[in-house]
Amino acid sequence: MIIDPTKKKMKVLLINNFHYLRGGSEAVYFNMAQMLTRAGHNVIFFSCKDSRNNSYGSNEYFVESNMTINPILGALRYIYNGSAKRALEKLVEAEKPDIAHIHLLWGGLSSSILGVLKRHNIPIVHTAHDYRMVCPNYTFRRGDGAVCEECLNGNYLNCLKNRCSQGQIARSALMSAEAYFRKWIIRATDLIDGYIFVSNFSYQQHLKALPELKDKQCIVAHNAIAPLEQSHISTTMGNYYLYFGRLSEEKGLQTLIKAFTALPHLQLKIVGEGNIKESLIAMVTTNNIEFCGYQRGEQLRQTIKNCKAIVVPSECYENNPMTIIEAQSAGIPTIGARIGGIAEIVEQGETGYLFTSKSVEELISAVEAMESINEEQYKIMSNRCREVANEKFTEQALYPKIIKLYNTLLCHSSNKE
C-alpha cells in the first residue's frame, strides 16, 4: 500500500542531541515541530536529558547526556551510545512513528540509533546542519583556525594531526575515531534514506566526500521560521549594529571587535554567550561595544527589530545561518562574510553587504557602505529583505518540500514490506 502523507496525518519522530535552544540547529528543530504540528501531524521527540530542556515534548525516553557522566564512559558513548539505542527501541515500540527526522545526532545520541530505526522499517531523514558527516570537527577548521578540507578524502586522522578540536589531542582523536567508526562500522550514510541540505554550498561539500549521495533522496531547503508579528518587524532605521549568536572562535568575533574599535562613532551590541566571551571583553578598548548577554523571545526580537543591520562575520563554512533568516524576516539587512552559504542568502547591495571573511578592512568598508545610505534607500533594502524572506524562509516555502520528501520515503518503505 502506498501511503500519501499529504492526505494522511503522520506521527513524526524528531531527534536531536539537545532539547533546549542552544543554537540555530535547535531553533530549526523546534520550528520544524511547530510547523508539523500546525499542519495536523503528531510530533514526538527523542533527545538527551538536561536541566535546560524545553518542557515542550520532553518525555520519559530521553537519555542521560554524555557530558554529565564519567569521562571515559562519555567518550565511549560519543562513538556508540548503547543507552540511546535501548531507549529509542522502547520509544519506537510504544509510539510506532511513521518517519524519523534527525537533526543533530553525531557525538551525542550517536549513530547507534540508526539500526533501531532500520529494523522497524522507519524511514530516516537527516538535516545536515553542519559538516560532521565529512569533517570530524564539523566546521572545516583546523586547530589553528585555518579553513581546511583535508578530511574530504576520508583520511580522518588529519583531524588528529591538525588538532582540530580546540587544539586538543584527546578531543581531536575522539572525533577522528567517531568518524571512522560511523563510516566503516555503522555505515551511516547507507542507513539514512533522505537528506536535507540547508544550502547548495553544503550539498556540494558533502558530494565531494560522499558521491554516493547522488543515489539518495536529497533536497536543498533553506531553514524557515514562523511568520513574525507586525510588532517584530522593522519600520525605521536603527542606530546600532548587532551580532547575536554563540560566542565561539569560528564566528569571527575578534574581527568584528577590531572593525568597530576602528569605528568608535558607531554602536555595536553583542548578544549571546560562549567560551570566548571573557577574551572578547578584554579586547574592547572603546565605549561603543556593548555585551548584552543571552537573550531570547520577545527581548531578542525587539533587539533585532531596532538595530540598523546584523553582522555575521563568520570564519567557518556557515550553512544557512538562522540569524540571517530571522533578521531578513524582520526587514533587517545583513553585513555578512563571503564564506560558506552566506552569499546564497545575502544579495550584495540589495539585502545587505558582503565582505571577505577575516578582513577587518573590508568589514569596515561594508559598514561604511551601510552608513552611506539614506532613510529612503534603507527602506527599499528593508523591503527587499522581507520579500526574500517571504519567498525562501517561510513555512509555506519549506513545508511542501519536506512533505514531498517524507512522501517519497514512505512510499519506498511501504513498497519494501
Side-chain angles (χ1 to χ4, degrees):
M1 180 181 66
I2 296 178
I3 301 170
D4 181 0
T6 62
K7 298 179 180 178
K8 172 184 178 290
K9 299 308 179 184
M10 291 178 285
K11 180 176 283 190
V12 183
L13 171 60
L14 294 184
I15 298 173
N16 195 62
N17 283 335
F18 308 100
H19 197 69
Y20 60 93
L21 200 57
R22 182 173 180 267
S25 302
E26 285 68 45
V28 175
Y29 166 70
F30 286 117
N31 288 345
M32 180 77 67
Q34 292 165 1
M35 178 182 73
L36 292 169
T37 300
R38 280 192 287 270
H41 303 290
N42 185 6
V43 174
I44 51 177
F45 297 91
F46 185 60
S47 187
C48 296
K49 297 175 183 177
D50 193 288
S51 60
R52 294 165 288 185
N53 275 357
N54 193 321
S55 60
Y56 168 55
S58 294
N59 61 62
E60 62 186 290
Y61 302 102
F62 282 21
V63 297
E64 197 170 14
S65 169
N66 296 343
M67 294 181 283
T68 62
I69 59 178
N70 176 282
I72 296 176
L73 180 58
L76 292 174
R77 287 187 177 179
Y78 185 93
I79 296 172
Y80 188 87
N81 193 333
S83 177
K85 175 184 174 181
R86 291 187 291 273
L88 181 61
E89 185 80 47
K90 293 178 181 177
L91 183 152
V92 167
E93 289 176 351
E95 297 287 350
K96 296 178 173 55
D98 296 305
I99 196 162
H101 189 153
I102 297 170
H103 292 264
L104 294 186
L105 168 68
W106 323 114
L109 297 168
S110 86
S111 53
S112 65
I113 69 172
L114 297 175
V116 174
L117 299 169
K118 295 307 289 185
R119 281 197 305 276
H120 288 270
N121 197 33
I122 298 171
I124 304 171
V125 176
H126 174 51
T127 295
H129 292 285
D130 56 28
Y131 302 99
R132 182 63 69 89
M133 287 195 295
V134 295
C135 168
N137 193 38
Y138 69 86
T139 60
F140 284 119
R141 276 171 57 97
R142 296 199 309 245
D144 61 5
V147 172
C148 167
E149 296 185 1
E150 290 183 31
C151 286
L152 285 180
N153 63 3
N155 182 5
Y156 301 134
L157 286 176
N158 287 312
C159 179
L160 173 59
K161 180 186 74 174
N162 296 321
R163 301 187 182 190
C164 292
S165 181
Q166 300 178 15
Q168 298 179 19
I169 291 177
R171 286 178 59 92
S172 301
L174 182 61
M175 287 185 158
S176 296
E178 189 277 332
Y180 276 121
F181 185 85
R182 169 177 18 103
K183 183 176 178 65
W184 296 113
I185 305 300
I186 297 295
R187 296 188 176 275
T189 53
D190 293 338
L191 299 177
I192 297 171
D193 302 291
Y195 294 85
I196 300 171
F197 297 97
V198 296
S199 70
N200 189 59
F201 178 86
S202 174
Y203 181 44
Q204 296 304 320
Q205 287 296 106
H206 281 82
L207 280 179
K208 288 180 185 178
L210 303 170
E212 63 268 28
L213 291 180
K214 291 180 180 178
D215 299 323
K216 294 285 186 174
Q217 295 293 328
C218 297
I219 65 171
V220 174
H222 293 295
N223 294 325
I225 64 172
L228 294 180
E229 296 178 10
Q230 193 61 39
S231 62
H232 299 147
I233 296 172
S234 174
T235 55
T236 58
M237 183 164 58
N239 61 2
Y240 60 87
Y241 291 84
L242 172 67
Y243 170 89
F244 67 103
R246 191 168 64 252
L247 309 187
S248 55
E249 198 72 36
E250 74 277 7
K251 296 299 183 180
L253 289 155
Q254 292 91 342
T255 299
L256 178 65
I257 288 175
K258 289 175 184 177
F260 274 85
T261 298
L263 298 166
H265 58 293
L266 299 178
Q267 295 297 309
L268 170 68
K269 293 188 177 185
I270 297 175
V271 171
E273 297 288 343
N275 60 352
I276 65 167
K277 182 177 181 179
E278 295 307 316
S279 64
L280 294 175
I281 292 173
M283 286 182 63
V284 176
T285 58
T286 52
N287 296 323
N288 62 321
I289 300 172
E290 177 185 1
F291 287 83
C292 303
Y294 177 76
Q295 294 183 9
R296 60 180 297 182
E298 182 65 22
Q299 182 185 21
L300 178 59
R301 293 189 188 96
Q302 291 301 322
T303 301
I304 296 170
K305 170 192 173 181
N306 293 317
C307 76
K308 180 177 290 186
I310 68 162
V311 188
V312 184
S314 295
E315 296 174 3
C316 64
Y317 286 165
E318 293 281 7
N319 263 338
N320 182 213
M322 286 298 292
T323 52
I324 298 178
I325 291 172
E326 291 172 14
Q328 289 192 355
S329 297
I332 299 296
T334 299
I335 296 174
R338 193 183 288 104
I339 191 169
I342 292 175
E344 291 181 33
I345 54 175
V346 177
E347 301 172 351
Q348 178 72 2
E350 299 291 328
T351 62
Y353 296 97
L354 295 164
F355 67 96
T356 300
S357 180
K358 296 188 179 182
S359 173
V360 174
E361 293 76 16
E362 286 195 26
L363 174 51
I364 291 172
S365 295
V367 174
E368 289 176 339
M370 182 66 69
E371 283 295 299
S372 71
I373 65 177
N374 58 35
E375 288 273 1
E376 183 178 348
Q377 292 168 323
Y378 183 86
K379 187 64 176 178
I380 292 171
M381 184 175 285
S382 177
N383 288 339
R384 178 58 185 159
C385 287
R386 293 277 296 145
E387 288 175 5
V388 171
N390 287 334
E391 291 168 7
K392 296 182 178 180
F393 309 137
T394 63
E395 293 182 359
Q396 289 81 1
L398 177 63
Y399 181 74
K401 295 179 180 180
I402 299 298
I403 289 301
K404 182 178 179 181
L405 179 61
Y406 286 2
N407 184 32
T408 300
L409 298 181
L410 282 167
C411 289
H412 287 174
S413 176
S414 64
N415 289 336
K416 292 178 182 178
E417 294 179 351

